[in-house]
Amino acid sequence: MDTVTQVESVRGPVPTADLGRTLMHEHVFVLSPESAANWSDEWDEEPQVAKAIGKLTELAGAGIRTIVDPTVDGLGRDIRRIARVNEAVPDLHIIPATGIYTYSDVPHWFAYRGPGALPDLPEPMVDLFVRDVREGIQGTDVKAAFFKCAIDHHGLTEGVERVLRAVAKAHGETGAPIMVHNNPGRNTMAEVRRVLGEEGVEPRHVLLAHVGDSTDADLLAGLAGAGFLLGMDRFGVDVILGFEARVDTVAELCRRGLSSRMVLAHDASCYIDWIDPNLMAFSPNWHYMHISNDVVPALFERGVTEDQVEDMLVRNPRTWFERG
Ligand SMILES: [Zn+2]
């Protein structure tokens, strides 16, 4: 595949050389539009947009130049809203995605369109994903820069496999890289590796999101050795794995010479409607500033070098989008 020197952002193509310090997995909003419309009185558009602008402006002020936002179908993607937020944060690139986020079944919209319909029909997801990359998302000219899908505690269900294979085929057509949400406690990475391998996807185009929830350095080193990019991307989600353990694991992998195979992020958002707002107090570090304020200094304390941090925050995101 050819090296590319530009990546699509919410505000149009950006030279990959300009991505700068990049957080590789951050949402702006994670929403459940249908449930929220039925049950919630939490969402109020204007204050939420204003709050997001404030938080992202603060992040850009800390020297983060880019966030990679894997918010797709299943996470409440609304690209016009993100474009509106981004317009007010001129110093930050937001890199959008296409794909489907499910742990089990395909969204009902796809249930009887494609394989599994009676009779079976061709898979429509592939063309839809490709359309998002080539033409634009939700009728806009904002193009997706990468694919996102998921596998979690249910393992490789029919629905998960259908999305994974569709993403792989869309990657084959476009070359855009693939981010896969994983549950390392279930070693979902093994299934991802097998299925994407069968589809002819090279590991270097695949970011295994959330593998930083594991402290198994041997397992992670094996995946890195196979060529995958590792998402150490939930800093602040201390309820799954604490700060010290996350930092120690990154430092250990750096010691093993694997800083070129990791990226950093929080998997944070300005507002997520999945969580009772009262519970957010139990995750005080789960915000966009935690890596800049706490994680990077803690990595330095553990002997990680500035050059290795530059790998994880600047070079590796750039290389992944360049398809290198
Ligand atoms: Zn996420």
Side-chain angles (χ1 to χ4, degrees):
M1 254 168 239
D2 297 338
T3 297
V4 298
T5 55
Q6 288 197 321
V7 60
E8 295 294 338
S9 82
V10 169
R11 292 174 302 171
V14 177
T16 51
D18 291 352
L19 290 175
R21 286 198 156 207
T22 300
L23 298 180
M24 204 62 167
H25 189 134
E26 308 294 349
H27 303 274
V28 181
F29 301 114
V30 175
L31 303 173
S32 317
E34 186 183 358
S35 295
N38 277 282
W39 316 118
S40 174
D41 53 10
E42 284 173 23
W43 179 264
D44 193 351
E45 181 84 13
E46 294 310 314
Q48 289 290 355
V49 165
K51 190 175 94 177
I53 291 167
K55 288 189 174 197
L56 293 171
T57 300
E58 182 190 19
L59 179 64
I64 299 295
R65 189 94 179 91
T66 302
I67 60 168
V68 174
D69 179 355
T71 306
V72 294
D73 182 0
L75 296 165
R77 183 178 67 167
D78 180 341
I79 204 68
R80 287 178 182 83
R81 180 183 291 130
I82 302 306
R84 213 183 134 208
V85 169
N86 202 176
E87 213 168 275
V89 192
D91 294 332
L92 187 77
H93 303 304
I94 302 177
I95 309 296
T98 187
I100 292 172
Y101 182 91
T102 179
Y103 297 169
S104 49
D105 296 330
V106 296
H108 289 301
W109 193 87
F110 287 97
Y112 301 102
R113 302 170 197 258
L118 298 172
D120 270 353
L121 295 168
E123 178 57 80
M125 288 178 198
V126 182
D127 289 346
L128 293 171
F129 297 160
V130 169
R131 183 178 76 181
D132 276 7
V133 170
R134 293 210 173 124
E135 294 170 32
I137 298 167
Q138 294 170 329
T140 70
D141 58 7
V142 176
K143 298 183 179 77
F146 67 104
F147 301 106
K148 169 73 183 298
C149 57
I151 177 169
D152 205 282
H153 54 283
H154 300 295
L156 192 73
T157 65
E158 267 178 50
V160 162
E161 182 168 2
R162 198 177 143 189
V163 176
L164 195 52
R165 290 191 187 276
V167 157
K169 290 183 170 75
H171 162 80
E173 279 192 41
T174 61
I178 301 171
M179 180 193 293
V180 187
H181 163 114
N182 278 279
N183 181 333
R186 298 297 187 99
N187 193 15
T188 53
M189 300 82 78
E191 297 280 44
V192 171
R193 190 173 178 172
R194 178 178 67 77
V195 172
L196 292 184
E198 287 170 11
E199 295 287 341
V201 178
E202 292 178 59
R204 67 198 168 96
H205 300 305
V206 180
L207 166 51
L208 297 173
H210 309 332
V211 294
D213 289 351
S214 169
T215 56
D216 186 340
D218 291 337
L219 173 74
L220 298 178
L223 294 167
F228 292 100
L229 191 56
L230 308 181
M232 315 306 277
D233 54 13
R234 277 181 162 171
F235 280 98
V237 188
D238 300 340
V239 292
I240 294 178
L241 184 67
F243 175 77
E244 299 288 328
R246 288 184 189 277
V247 171
D248 287 345
T249 305
V250 172
E252 171 59 22
L253 292 171
C254 284
R255 255 191 302 278
R256 297 189 190 193
L258 295 171
S259 62
S260 66
R261 302 312 314 154
M262 290 184 281
V263 290
L264 307 179
H266 309 94
D267 198 8
S269 47
C270 298
Y271 172 69
I272 172 168
D273 72 11
W274 296 11
I275 300 173
D276 186 314
N278 295 314
L279 291 180
M280 295 306 277
F282 292 95
S283 301
N285 295 320
W286 197 29
H287 58 78
Y288 298 139
M289 303 298 291
H290 182 46
I291 287 173
S292 303
N293 291 348
D294 309 311
V295 173
V296 170
L299 289 171
F300 287 152
E301 276 169 26
R302 286 159 176 78
V304 174
T305 66
E306 297 218 12
D307 195 58
Q308 288 172 322
V309 169
E310 191 84 354
D311 271 350
M312 296 186 281
L313 285 178
V314 180
R315 294 188 199 108
N316 302 341
R318 177 179 172 176
T319 303
W320 193 64
F321 285 113
E322 289 178 345
R323 306 167 192 183

